[in-house]
Amino acid sequence: MALCPKSVLITGANRGIGLEFVKQFLKLDVPPKFIFACCRQPDSAEDLKSIASGSSVVHIVKLDVQDQSTIDTAKTYVESKLEGQGLNLLINNAAVLHLKGFYDVTKQEMMDHFETNAVGPLIVSQTFISLLKQAAGVNPTAPMSCSRAAIINMSTGVASISENSSGGIYPYRASKAALNMLTSNMAIDLKGDGILVTAVHPGWVKTNMGGPNALIDTETSLKGIMSVFAKLQGEEGTGKFYHGVKGELIGW
Ligand code: NDP
């Protein structure tokens, strides 16, 4: 199946993997009509601004996943643009990572990670759900897919409990494991509405978060992820935890 959502919203789109999502969606055979590239500080999002200046598709939208008022304002803006067609694809990409272990992690760091990496994606999904339902209703008999209506939560291999063999990275691992549970839960709760929900690990990618020693660049990661997106279909595709580059399932 070709990947052809008419509208996509990406959080944390000003750099790293989020920015590469914007570039790769623009390169699709049938690019979306709307790419809502969300970031905390649009004024200083220079890379995004240069992409948006030459495109009628890319809309830069202020959205801080820790700040409900920015999420609400973003939703109002997105809704005004979509003209009743709904939002096809929501990508919860924004996240933070501090390399803290058992002895040095603080309560505040744990709370901050949970707020950004788990609670944020839940609240963003909750706020935009009416637009996702609207999109699902445009093609009521089509199978669930990223082209019809879907929420993708950007997770990480180190959130896997079954594959954890090295310990450490407490706030990030725990908050992303919580995101995985939210993914599984939302997949069950939103199936009846025709909305697919799945978690995707992008590989170890050269970004601020992944660092310079990472294995792959953002383009390589995104090419894999986009082909996984294209394959996610119906009941088989929802409630899963995928390695975006290998295209294989990861154990929870
Ligand atoms: P980066 O650190 O390069 O980028 C993180 C993005 O999240 C930035 O745009 C940042 O915005 C944004 N962000 C952070 N906090 C908030 C917030 N409160 N509200 C809105 N945006 C926020 O990370 P990557 O691009 O590498 O990671 C993207 C996703 O992929 C993440 O979910 C990450 O966990 C996951 N991932 C990445 C891996 C890697 O190797 N890179 C490996 C496994 C998973 P700002 O510029 O304002 O700080």
Side-chain angles (χ1 to χ4, degrees):
M1 277 286 288
L3 179 64
C4 52
K6 290 196 177 66
S7 55
V8 182
L9 185 147
I10 305 143
T11 64
N14 54 307
R15 57 185 169 96
I17 291 167
L19 181 67
E20 190 67 38
F21 265 122
V22 176
K23 294 179 185 169
Q24 294 299 324
F25 274 109
L26 284 171
K27 285 186 186 167
L28 285 178
D29 290 343
V30 183
K33 203 170 156 202
F34 297 99
I35 298 176
F36 300 104
C38 299
C39 57
R40 291 196 274 198
Q41 289 173 333
D43 290 346
S44 54
E46 300 304 332
D47 291 332
L48 261 186
K49 281 200 280 188
S50 74
I51 294 173
S53 69
S55 162
S56 58
V57 170
V58 179
H59 299 251
I60 304 177
V61 182
K62 182 177 172 66
L63 193 160
D64 181 334
V65 303
Q66 292 177 295
D67 181 347
Q68 181 77 57
S69 70
T70 67
I71 304 171
D72 289 338
T73 305
K75 192 240 175 175
T76 304
Y77 174 78
V78 168
E79 188 167 22
S80 75
K81 293 283 162 196
L82 289 174
E83 296 171 338
Q85 294 301 296
L87 177 66
N88 297 114
L89 180 56
L90 164 61
I91 303 173
N92 285 309
N93 168 75
V96 288
L97 160 63
H98 293 161
L99 291 170
K100 289 299 184 79
F102 177 73
Y103 290 103
D104 60 352
V105 71
T106 63
K107 175 179 176 183
Q108 194 56 51
E109 283 163 341
M110 290 300 294
M111 301 307 277
D112 286 347
H113 277 69
F114 272 92
E115 189 174 2
T116 303
N117 297 356
V119 180
L122 172 63
I123 299 302
V124 171
S125 303
Q126 210 180 50
T127 305
F128 282 87
I129 195 64
S130 61
L131 297 180
L132 287 150
K133 285 184 183 175
Q134 204 169 43
V138 170
N139 292 304
T141 57
M144 286 186 287
S145 73
C146 289
S147 301
R148 183 184 172 206
I151 299 170
I152 298 293
N153 291 326
M154 293 308 292
S155 185
T156 166
V158 300
S160 168
I161 294 172
S162 60
E163 295 185 10
N164 183 12
S165 58
S166 55
I169 333 175
Y170 274 64
Y172 186 67
R173 278 191 198 273
S175 59
K176 290 284 187 173
L179 177 66
N180 282 356
M181 174 52 90
L182 294 171
T183 304
S184 170
N185 244 14
M186 288 196 285
I188 293 167
D189 290 335
L190 301 179
K191 190 157 53 179
D193 296 307
I195 300 168
L196 180 145
V197 188
T198 270
V200 174
H201 165 56
W204 186 17
V205 190
K206 291 185 208 305
T207 63
N208 282 12
M209 185 182 287
N213 296 327
L215 298 177
I216 54 174
D217 58 20
T218 53
E219 196 177 344
T220 307
S221 169
L222 261 292
K223 283 191 172 149
I225 292 172
M226 300 292 273
S227 63
V228 167
F229 281 6
K231 277 188 251 166
L232 297 176
Q233 281 277 320
E235 302 249 345
E236 296 276 295
T238 199
K240 298 293 190 299
F241 181 18
Y242 266 98
H243 193 303
V245 183
K246 295 182 183 166
E248 297 166 356
L249 290 174
I250 300 175
W252 296 108

